Amino acid sequence: MNPIITKLREIIAAKKSNLTVAADISSAEKILELAEKIGDKICVLKTHVDILDDFTSEFPKKLREIADRKNFLIFEDRKFADIGNTVSLQFSGGIYKIAEWADLINAHSIVGEGIVDGLRKVNKKSGLILLAQMTPEGNLFTEDYALKTVEIAKANSDFVVGFIGSSDKPEILRKIRQVAGDDFMIFTPGIKLAAGCDDLGQTYNTPEKAIQAGTDVIIVGRGIIAAEDPSLEAEKYRAAGWEANLKFKI
Ligand code: 5BU
């Protein structure tokens, strides 16, 4: 088991928070401001560094300082999806040098186990999340695909910390949980207090539905970052996620 799992579980218990906030904002400064505001409420902050207009190598350093002070992990949602050699270059190099700073990264399993080997080759400190499902309407993920992804994870449990699972197909999510057992963490995006969808096919389900289906960590983006008061909203999601955790998991 990857020690990052233990660390994440400790953070979740200490902060009574299974909430990840997706900081889908194009300004580094605004992400840092958000992290200061909501850092106490979250277990993980999720980034897409390639949407930043003003990325510099200072950004991950500053975010790390906040993450250490407020006790949360940093998840770069890069969704690697290439041959082993290419992903090792993408993970370690380029402008972003993700391997230097991300606690968590993710990858598609569609290309097979070689992607895990390619990422592991240059890994320094990150844990890998495999996409077993995705949230958009009409996606091509199947139960068979999800369960084969779990097999890859089990064969690489030194590095793989868990899965992305979607509560829009809770029966598959439940199977992932059953087959994966408790040595992996499941992260679920597409979460809002009011279920529904956006205008580009994103599906939303409630924290309760995701956790009942077996998820460990809920990922919330616009439900929090687009709110008038993100810290107030983050507290609502933290409380809802934790309540569901107590009801269904402990
Ligand atoms: P939202 O604003 O709560 O819809 O943002 C969801 C975030 O989770 C966003 O950063 C997506 O890139 C990310 N995401 C997702 O929505 N669905 C998926 O299947 C995966 C990631 Br994998």
Side-chain angles (χ1 to χ4, degrees):
M1 202 164 90
N2 189 320
I4 291 180
I5 296 178
T6 311
K7 186 164 182 202
L8 179 54
R9 287 185 175 153
E10 280 168 9
I11 295 174
I12 291 172
K15 297 173 86 172
K16 295 186 169 42
S17 173
N18 50 25
L19 172 64
T20 290
V21 165
D24 293 345
I25 301 172
S26 55
S27 150
E29 205 177 306
K30 294 227 164 85
I31 293 181
L32 297 171
E33 270 171 35
L34 178 77
E36 287 285 2
K37 270 192 212 150
I38 60 158
D40 294 331
K41 319 266 181 216
I42 61 176
C43 59
V44 178
L45 185 109
K46 189 174 81 60
T47 54
H48 281 296
V49 275
D50 55 356
I51 66 175
L52 290 174
D53 294 326
D54 54 352
F55 178 88
T56 68
S57 57
E58 284 307 297
F59 170 69
K61 286 183 198 148
K62 287 182 181 164
L63 188 56
R64 166 61 51 201
E65 188 280 314
I66 303 173
D68 288 347
R69 180 160 40 84
K70 294 196 173 272
N71 199 23
F72 61 79
L73 301 183
I74 304 171
F75 171 14
E76 167 52 29
D77 187 0
R78 172 63 180 74
K79 299 185 185 71
F80 294 101
D82 213 316
I83 63 166
N85 185 59
T86 301
V87 297
S88 69
L89 296 169
Q90 291 172 322
F91 181 28
S92 61
I95 296 168
Y96 304 117
K97 301 190 179 19
I98 297 166
E100 302 291 329
W101 51 267
D103 299 303
L104 296 165
I105 54 161
N106 56 358
H108 285 283
S109 49
I110 184 85
V111 283
E113 214 166 331
I115 197 162
V116 180
D117 295 333
L119 293 167
R120 184 195 281 108
K121 196 174 152 194
V122 293
N123 185 40
K124 291 189 166 169
K125 50 179 288 191
S126 316
L128 176 63
I129 297 169
L130 293 175
L131 280 79
Q133 291 179 284
M134 282 192 76
T135 56
E137 257 162 27
N139 69 70
L140 305 182
F141 286 78
T142 62
E143 179 176 326
D144 184 49
Y145 183 95
L147 298 182
K148 286 196 170 123
T149 303
V150 175
E151 276 174 34
I152 295 177
K154 284 188 165 177
N156 293 279
S157 60
D158 59 312
F159 182 27
V160 178
V161 304
F163 310 96
I164 296 286
S166 167
S167 49
D168 213 45
K169 295 207 176 114
E171 64 291 347
I172 300 182
L173 185 51
R174 236 170 248 127
K175 276 255 172 76
I176 297 170
R177 175 87 277 162
Q178 268 169 20
V179 176
D182 288 331
D183 285 351
F184 293 101
M185 305 286 284
I186 304 178
F187 300 76
T188 294
I191 299 289
K192 266 196 180 172
L193 289 170
C197 54
D198 75 2
D199 56 354
L200 294 171
Q202 170 72 305
T203 59
Y204 288 112
N205 290 285
T206 60
E208 181 162 73
K209 185 173 171 192
I211 288 166
Q212 186 170 18
T215 288
D216 298 292
V217 175
I218 54 170
I219 302 178
V220 182
R222 285 163 286 178
I224 290 173
I225 63 170
E228 213 170 295
D229 185 344
S231 23
L232 199 74
E233 218 54 28
E235 174 53 24
K236 284 189 203 162
Y237 279 90
R238 187 208 60 77
W242 189 248
E243 209 175 289
N245 196 50
L246 295 177
K247 189 164 164 193
F248 297 112
K249 291 179 87 80
I250 293 176

